[in-house]
Amino acid sequence: MSKAEDLRIIKTKKALFNSLLELMRTNSFEEIKISDICKNALINRSTFYSHFTDKYELFMSLLNTQKSILLDELKKNDQDINTKQYFMEVLKIIIDHVDKNRDIYSSILLNNRNSILMDILLDSANKYIDEHIREKSEISSSVLPISIIYKFYFGAILSIGIEWLTNSEKYTKEQLILYLDKLIPEKI
């Protein structure tokens, strides 16, 4: 019986997430009401409130799910390589993740030009890189603290990535990675 309950909860949350994302394609987050989310998901408000206290908690749950997925993908990068190669591998993983979840990130970005998208990606990358650097002594920089370096580059890269996400016909994912590889110096 608990498996069926878990499955129902998973399906309900997925329907609410999808409903919110669909609504965010045409409305800003602030304009969306819980009644809109429930109506679009074909779920009663009481069901919504049994899982979330408000739309902000629903949205944070969605964001935390994406952060968790991205962090799991980043943890698969277990290569012992120099700083630039490591950084490029992290970027490839993030770009692949965003590309695979383009509908989610596009919905967040489309009518919500704020720092939410940047926060998701930066927070996941920061956690992963900090953990990885503590474990791997090969990744180091003699010029600046590595945290300053990756925060500097990720800020610029996210700006370029947002343009790519909103205008993907401008250049392909592969071109984006190639351009970033040329922009990042060999010795960081």
Side-chain angles (χ1 to χ4, degrees):
M1 186 63 94
S2 67
K3 276 190 176 185
E5 289 172 351
D6 290 345
L7 199 58
R8 283 191 303 243
I9 291 170
I10 291 168
K11 286 180 180 180
T12 299
K13 287 183 177 183
K14 184 175 181 179
L16 291 168
F17 289 159
N18 290 338
S19 176
L20 177 61
L21 288 169
E22 187 178 320
L23 291 167
M24 286 176 71
R25 287 187 187 105
T26 55
N27 305 291
S28 72
F29 178 74
E30 290 76 23
E31 295 171 328
I32 299 170
K33 298 180 181 116
I34 291 174
S35 59
D36 299 330
I37 297 167
C38 294
K39 182 179 178 183
N40 193 44
L42 303 174
I43 292 174
N44 290 324
R45 284 175 64 101
S46 60
T47 303
F48 176 92
Y49 286 115
S50 68
H51 298 287
F52 302 102
T53 56
D54 55 26
K55 70 179 185 177
Y56 299 97
E57 186 179 355
L58 169 67
F59 191 53
M60 288 309 299
S61 180
L62 172 65
L63 296 181
N64 288 333
T65 300
Q66 284 307 113
K67 281 184 190 179
S68 178
I69 291 168
L70 178 55
L71 204 50
D72 288 344
E73 291 172 12
L74 286 168
K75 287 180 180 177
K76 293 176 186 173
N77 179 21
D78 194 24
Q79 300 180 22
D80 292 333
I81 47 183
N82 74 33
T83 306
K84 181 181 178 178
Q85 290 171 324
Y86 169 76
F87 193 72
M88 287 305 301
E89 284 302 311
V90 169
L91 289 177
K92 287 176 190 174
I93 292 168
I94 291 172
I95 291 168
D96 284 341
H97 169 80
V98 170
D99 195 39
K100 282 189 276 187
N101 298 285
R102 181 176 286 275
D103 59 329
I104 293 172
Y105 290 108
S106 292
S107 294
I108 292 170
L109 237 179
L110 199 57
N111 290 298
N112 299 282
R113 282 235 168 239
N114 51 33
S115 67
I116 294 170
L117 182 63
M118 292 182 91
D119 290 345
I120 295 170
L121 299 174
L122 277 175
D123 187 52
S124 297
N126 286 344
K127 284 180 184 174
Y128 168 70
I129 291 172
D130 283 342
E131 287 175 15
H132 193 76
I133 288 170
R134 274 187 242 120
E135 293 173 11
K136 306 276 183 187
S137 60
E138 302 87 24
I139 300 172
S140 62
S141 171
S142 59
V143 182
L144 296 168
I146 196 76
S147 64
I148 297 294
I149 294 168
Y150 72 74
K151 286 176 184 176
F152 174 80
Y153 283 108
F154 271 137
I157 289 163
L158 282 173
S159 179
I160 294 166
I162 288 171
E163 181 183 339
W164 166 71
L165 186 61
T166 56
N167 273 329
S168 59
E169 66 277 352
K170 245 183 178 178
Y171 36 79
T172 66
K173 175 177 74 169
E174 292 74 20
Q175 287 173 314
L176 176 65
I177 292 169
L178 180 68
Y179 298 154
L180 293 174
D181 188 45
K182 289 182 179 189
L183 285 168
I184 298 170
E186 287 301 320
K187 182 157 173 81
I188 301 179

Short mmCIF file of all heavy atoms in Angstrom, two decimals, residues 151-183:
data_model
loop_
_atom_site.label_atom_id
_atom_site.label_comp_id
_atom_site.label_asym_id
_atom_site.label_seq_id
_atom_site.Cartn_x
_atom_site.Cartn_y
_atom_site.Cartn_z
N LYS A 151 33.95 31.21 -9.95
CA LYS A 151 32.81 32.12 -9.82
C LYS A 151 32.87 33.20 -10.90
O LYS A 151 31.85 33.59 -11.48
CB LYS A 151 32.75 32.73 -8.43
CG LYS A 151 32.28 31.72 -7.40
CD LYS A 151 32.30 32.28 -6.01
CE LYS A 151 31.91 31.18 -5.02
NZ LYS A 151 31.98 31.61 -3.64
N PHE A 152 34.06 33.69 -11.20
CA PHE A 152 34.24 34.69 -12.24
C PHE A 152 33.81 34.13 -13.60
O PHE A 152 33.02 34.73 -14.31
CB PHE A 152 35.72 35.13 -12.28
CG PHE A 152 36.05 36.05 -13.42
CD1 PHE A 152 35.74 37.40 -13.34
CD2 PHE A 152 36.66 35.56 -14.56
CE1 PHE A 152 36.05 38.26 -14.39
CE2 PHE A 152 36.98 36.41 -15.61
CZ PHE A 152 36.66 37.75 -15.53
N TYR A 153 34.35 32.96 -13.95
CA TYR A 153 34.03 32.37 -15.24
C TYR A 153 32.58 31.91 -15.33
O TYR A 153 31.93 32.08 -16.36
CB TYR A 153 34.99 31.23 -15.57
CG TYR A 153 36.33 31.73 -16.02
CD1 TYR A 153 37.45 31.63 -15.21
CD2 TYR A 153 36.48 32.35 -17.26
CE1 TYR A 153 38.68 32.12 -15.62
CE2 TYR A 153 37.70 32.83 -17.69
CZ TYR A 153 38.80 32.72 -16.86
OH TYR A 153 40.01 33.20 -17.28
N PHE A 154 32.04 31.32 -14.26
CA PHE A 154 30.65 30.87 -14.31
C PHE A 154 29.68 32.03 -14.50
O PHE A 154 28.67 31.88 -15.19
CB PHE A 154 30.26 30.07 -13.06
CG PHE A 154 30.53 28.61 -13.17
CD1 PHE A 154 31.09 27.92 -12.12
CD2 PHE A 154 30.23 27.91 -14.32
CE1 PHE A 154 31.34 26.56 -12.21
CE2 PHE A 154 30.49 26.56 -14.43
CZ PHE A 154 31.05 25.88 -13.38
N GLY A 155 29.96 33.18 -13.92
CA GLY A 155 29.09 34.34 -14.12
C GLY A 155 29.01 34.72 -15.59
O GLY A 155 27.92 34.93 -16.14
N ALA A 156 30.16 34.78 -16.23
CA ALA A 156 30.20 35.12 -17.67
C ALA A 156 29.57 34.01 -18.50
O ALA A 156 28.79 34.26 -19.43
CB ALA A 156 31.64 35.35 -18.10
N ILE A 157 29.87 32.78 -18.16
CA ILE A 157 29.37 31.64 -18.92
C ILE A 157 27.85 31.53 -18.80
O ILE A 157 27.15 31.23 -19.77
CB ILE A 157 30.08 30.35 -18.47
CG1 ILE A 157 31.53 30.39 -18.96
CG2 ILE A 157 29.35 29.11 -18.98
CD1 ILE A 157 32.45 29.42 -18.28
N LEU A 158 27.32 31.81 -17.61
CA LEU A 158 25.87 31.76 -17.44
C LEU A 158 25.17 32.82 -18.29
O LEU A 158 24.11 32.57 -18.87
CB LEU A 158 25.49 31.92 -15.97
CG LEU A 158 25.68 30.66 -15.15
CD1 LEU A 158 25.46 30.96 -13.68
CD2 LEU A 158 24.75 29.56 -15.59
N SER A 159 25.77 33.97 -18.40
CA SER A 159 25.21 35.02 -19.25
C SER A 159 25.15 34.55 -20.70
O SER A 159 24.13 34.70 -21.39
CB SER A 159 26.05 36.29 -19.11
OG SER A 159 25.54 37.30 -19.94
N ILE A 160 26.23 33.96 -21.18
CA ILE A 160 26.27 33.42 -22.54
C ILE A 160 25.29 32.25 -22.67
O ILE A 160 24.58 32.12 -23.67
CB ILE A 160 27.71 32.96 -22.89
CG1 ILE A 160 28.65 34.16 -22.95
CG2 ILE A 160 27.73 32.20 -24.21
CD1 ILE A 160 30.12 33.79 -22.95
N GLY A 161 25.24 31.41 -21.64
CA GLY A 161 24.34 30.25 -21.66
C GLY A 161 22.87 30.65 -21.72
O GLY A 161 22.07 30.00 -22.39
N ILE A 162 22.51 31.72 -21.02
CA ILE A 162 21.13 32.19 -21.05
C ILE A 162 20.78 32.68 -22.46
O ILE A 162 19.70 32.41 -22.98
CB ILE A 162 20.90 33.28 -19.99
CG1 ILE A 162 20.89 32.63 -18.60
CG2 ILE A 162 19.60 34.05 -20.24
CD1 ILE A 162 20.89 33.60 -17.45
N GLU A 163 21.71 33.35 -23.10
CA GLU A 163 21.48 33.78 -24.49
C GLU A 163 21.29 32.56 -25.38
O GLU A 163 20.40 32.52 -26.23
CB GLU A 163 22.64 34.62 -24.99
CG GLU A 163 22.43 35.10 -26.42
CD GLU A 163 23.60 35.88 -26.98
OE1 GLU A 163 24.41 36.41 -26.21
OE2 GLU A 163 23.70 35.94 -28.21
N TRP A 164 22.12 31.53 -25.20
CA TRP A 164 22.01 30.30 -25.99
C TRP A 164 20.67 29.62 -25.74
O TRP A 164 20.01 29.16 -26.67
CB TRP A 164 23.17 29.37 -25.65
CG TRP A 164 23.00 27.96 -26.14
CD1 TRP A 164 23.06 27.54 -27.44
CD2 TRP A 164 22.73 26.82 -25.35
NE1 TRP A 164 22.85 26.18 -27.50
CE2 TRP A 164 22.65 25.72 -26.23
CE3 TRP A 164 22.57 26.60 -23.99
CZ2 TRP A 164 22.40 24.43 -25.77
CZ3 TRP A 164 22.32 25.32 -23.54
CH2 TRP A 164 22.23 24.24 -24.43
N LEU A 165 20.24 29.59 -24.49
CA LEU A 165 18.98 28.94 -24.14
C LEU A 165 17.79 29.65 -24.77
O LEU A 165 16.86 29.01 -25.24
CB LEU A 165 18.82 28.90 -22.61
CG LEU A 165 17.65 28.14 -22.04
CD1 LEU A 165 17.70 26.68 -22.43
CD2 LEU A 165 17.63 28.26 -20.52
N THR A 166 17.83 30.97 -24.80
CA THR A 166 16.71 31.73 -25.35
C THR A 166 16.80 31.91 -26.86
O THR A 166 15.81 32.21 -27.51
CB THR A 166 16.59 33.12 -24.68
OG1 THR A 166 17.82 33.81 -24.83
CG2 THR A 166 16.24 32.98 -23.22
N ASN A 167 17.99 31.73 -27.42
CA ASN A 167 18.21 31.87 -28.87
C ASN A 167 19.03 30.71 -29.40
O ASN A 167 20.10 30.90 -29.98
CB ASN A 167 18.99 33.17 -29.16
CG ASN A 167 18.12 34.36 -29.32
OD1 ASN A 167 16.99 34.24 -29.78
ND2 ASN A 167 18.63 35.52 -28.96
N SER A 168 18.55 29.48 -29.24
CA SER A 168 19.36 28.31 -29.58
C SER A 168 19.67 28.21 -31.07
O SER A 168 20.58 27.49 -31.46
CB SER A 168 18.70 27.03 -29.08
OG SER A 168 17.41 26.90 -29.67
N GLU A 169 18.92 28.93 -31.91
CA GLU A 169 19.21 28.88 -33.34
C GLU A 169 20.47 29.68 -33.70
O GLU A 169 21.02 29.53 -34.78
CB GLU A 169 18.01 29.35 -34.18
CG GLU A 169 17.64 30.81 -34.03
CD GLU A 169 16.76 31.11 -32.82
OE1 GLU A 169 16.29 30.19 -32.13
OE2 GLU A 169 16.55 32.30 -32.55
N LYS A 170 20.93 30.52 -32.78
CA LYS A 170 22.13 31.33 -33.02
C LYS A 170 23.38 30.45 -33.19
O LYS A 170 24.19 30.67 -34.07
CB LYS A 170 22.36 32.30 -31.86
CG LYS A 170 22.24 33.73 -32.25
CD LYS A 170 22.54 34.62 -31.08
CE LYS A 170 22.45 36.06 -31.50
NZ LYS A 170 22.69 36.97 -30.42
N TYR A 171 23.51 29.48 -32.27
CA TYR A 171 24.62 28.54 -32.34
C TYR A 171 24.26 27.28 -31.58
O TYR A 171 23.43 27.28 -30.69
CB TYR A 171 25.95 29.12 -31.84
CG TYR A 171 25.84 30.07 -30.66
CD1 TYR A 171 25.69 29.59 -29.37
CD2 TYR A 171 25.89 31.44 -30.85
CE1 TYR A 171 25.58 30.46 -28.30
CE2 TYR A 171 25.78 32.31 -29.78
CZ TYR A 171 25.64 31.82 -28.51
OH TYR A 171 25.53 32.68 -27.46
N THR A 172 24.90 26.19 -31.97
CA THR A 172 24.59 24.89 -31.38
C THR A 172 25.27 24.72 -30.02
O THR A 172 26.15 25.51 -29.66
CB THR A 172 25.07 23.75 -32.30
OG1 THR A 172 26.50 23.79 -32.35
CG2 THR A 172 24.48 23.87 -33.69
N LYS A 173 24.89 23.67 -29.34
CA LYS A 173 25.52 23.33 -28.06
C LYS A 173 27.01 23.08 -28.26
O LYS A 173 27.84 23.53 -27.47
CB LYS A 173 24.83 22.08 -27.48
CG LYS A 173 25.45 21.55 -26.23
CD LYS A 173 24.68 20.38 -25.68
CE LYS A 173 24.89 19.15 -26.49
NZ LYS A 173 24.38 17.93 -25.86
N GLU A 174 27.35 22.40 -29.34
CA GLU A 174 28.76 22.10 -29.63
C GLU A 174 29.55 23.38 -29.90
O GLU A 174 30.69 23.52 -29.47
CB GLU A 174 28.86 21.14 -30.82
CG GLU A 174 28.34 19.74 -30.54
CD GLU A 174 26.81 19.63 -30.48
OE1 GLU A 174 26.09 20.52 -31.01
OE2 GLU A 174 26.33 18.65 -29.89
N GLN A 175 28.94 24.32 -30.65
CA GLN A 175 29.60 25.60 -30.90
C GLN A 175 29.81 26.37 -29.60
O GLN A 175 30.87 26.95 -29.39
CB GLN A 175 28.78 26.45 -31.88
CG GLN A 175 28.82 25.97 -33.30
CD GLN A 175 27.86 26.74 -34.17
OE1 GLN A 175 26.71 26.96 -33.81
NE2 GLN A 175 28.33 27.13 -35.36
N LEU A 176 28.80 26.35 -28.73
CA LEU A 176 28.91 27.02 -27.44
C LEU A 176 30.10 26.49 -26.65
O LEU A 176 30.91 27.25 -26.13
CB LEU A 176 27.61 26.85 -26.64
CG LEU A 176 27.61 27.41 -25.22
CD1 LEU A 176 27.74 28.93 -25.23
CD2 LEU A 176 26.34 26.99 -24.49
N ILE A 177 30.23 25.18 -26.58
CA ILE A 177 31.34 24.56 -25.85
C ILE A 177 32.68 24.93 -26.50
O ILE A 177 33.64 25.25 -25.80
CB ILE A 177 31.15 23.03 -25.76
CG1 ILE A 177 29.95 22.72 -24.86
CG2 ILE A 177 32.41 22.34 -25.26
CD1 ILE A 177 29.47 21.28 -24.89
N LEU A 178 32.73 24.92 -27.82
CA LEU A 178 33.95 25.31 -28.52
C LEU A 178 34.33 26.76 -28.23
O LEU A 178 35.49 27.06 -27.94
CB LEU A 178 33.78 25.10 -30.03
CG LEU A 178 34.97 25.47 -30.90
CD1 LEU A 178 36.13 24.52 -30.65
CD2 LEU A 178 34.57 25.46 -32.37
N TYR A 179 33.36 27.66 -28.27
CA TYR A 179 33.62 29.07 -27.98
C TYR A 179 34.12 29.25 -26.55
O TYR A 179 35.06 30.01 -26.30
CB TYR A 179 32.37 29.92 -28.19
CG TYR A 179 31.84 29.93 -29.61
CD1 TYR A 179 30.50 30.18 -29.85
CD2 TYR A 179 32.66 29.69 -30.70
CE1 TYR A 179 29.99 30.20 -31.15
CE2 TYR A 179 32.17 29.70 -32.00
CZ TYR A 179 30.84 29.96 -32.21
OH TYR A 179 30.34 29.97 -33.48
N LEU A 180 33.49 28.56 -25.61
CA LEU A 180 33.90 28.67 -24.21
C LEU A 180 35.32 28.13 -24.02
O LEU A 180 36.11 28.70 -23.28
CB LEU A 180 32.92 27.94 -23.30
CG LEU A 180 31.52 28.55 -23.24
CD1 LEU A 180 30.58 27.66 -22.42
CD2 LEU A 180 31.56 29.96 -22.67
N ASP A 181 35.62 27.05 -24.72
CA ASP A 181 36.96 26.47 -24.63
C ASP A 181 38.01 27.47 -25.11
O ASP A 181 39.09 27.57 -24.54
CB ASP A 181 37.02 25.18 -25.44
CG ASP A 181 38.32 24.43 -25.24
OD1 ASP A 181 38.77 24.29 -24.08
OD2 ASP A 181 38.91 23.98 -26.25
N LYS A 182 37.68 28.22 -26.15
CA LYS A 182 38.62 29.22 -26.67
C LYS A 182 38.73 30.43 -25.74
O LYS A 182 39.79 31.06 -25.65
CB LYS A 182 38.20 29.67 -28.06
CG LYS A 182 38.42 28.60 -29.10
CD LYS A 182 38.03 29.06 -30.49
CE LYS A 182 38.30 27.94 -31.47
NZ LYS A 182 38.16 28.35 -32.85
N LEU A 183 37.65 30.78 -25.06
CA LEU A 183 37.66 31.93 -24.16
C LEU A 183 38.41 31.68 -22.85
O LEU A 183 38.96 32.62 -22.27
CB LEU A 183 36.22 32.36 -23.83
CG LEU A 183 35.47 33.08 -24.94
CD1 LEU A 183 34.00 33.19 -24.60
CD2 LEU A 183 36.07 34.46 -25.16
#
